[in-house]
Amino acid sequence: PVCRHGPAKTIYSMVSEVMRLYLGRRYGIAAIDMTTRECLQALRERGLNGSAPHWLRQFLEECDLVKFSRYEMPRERWATIWNDAKLIVHNTTPPEELEPSATPAAERAEAAS
């Protein structure tokens, strides 16, 4: 219910915590105890590359903006922030760990040929 009705600060705090716990477990860093800058640096040192660091930086900075200021994100954005988190997880999970149904159809077709 809080994800539908707010407040935004609670939603963004929750999604940020979930993402940091995921990053900590996936990459073996203390992301939950790091600043965004420290977290991104640790991820670069662990070899996170491609477009994932860019998306992750935008995601965490947006969360920080809402969590640590009086900025109120539009209600329409509240629903999509969790989708962004899911996309980041999907794009930072090695393909062999993804369930076949979670792999985009084009990638499945290419792998089958």
Side-chain angles (χ1 to χ4, degrees):
V2 74
C3 291
R4 283 187 224 115
H5 306 291
K9 193 173 292 279
T10 302
I11 294 167
Y12 278 80
S13 294
M14 289 172 60
V15 74
S16 176
E17 184 174 338
V18 167
M19 182 58 63
R20 287 173 180 275
L21 288 170
Y22 162 76
L23 293 169
R25 290 178 181 152
R26 162 75 49 205
Y27 295 98
I29 62 173
I32 198 77
D33 297 321
M34 296 175 164
T35 65
T36 294
R37 175 179 274 165
E38 291 168 337
C39 182
L40 294 170
Q41 179 61 37
L43 291 169
R44 279 191 293 274
E45 291 169 2
R46 298 284 191 293
L48 184 64
N49 53 34
S51 56
H54 174 72
W55 296 337
L56 194 53
R57 181 182 53 77
Q58 287 183 321
F59 177 88
L60 292 174
E61 286 178 352
E62 181 178 335
C63 290
D64 290 349
L65 176 66
V66 176
K67 288 173 16 185
F68 301 120
S69 74
R70 294 180 185 262
Y71 185 78
E72 282 287 327
M73 202 55 75
R75 184 177 294 266
E76 297 79 26
R77 179 64 178 129
W78 298 358
T80 61
I81 191 69
W82 287 100
N83 292 334
D84 288 359
K86 290 176 192 176
L87 285 171
I88 291 169
V89 169
H90 180 82
N91 285 299
T92 56
T93 301
E96 62 273 8
E97 291 182 26
L98 294 172
E99 294 179 23
S101 63
T103 306
E107 289 180 24
R108 287 195 307 269
E110 185 176 307
S113 57

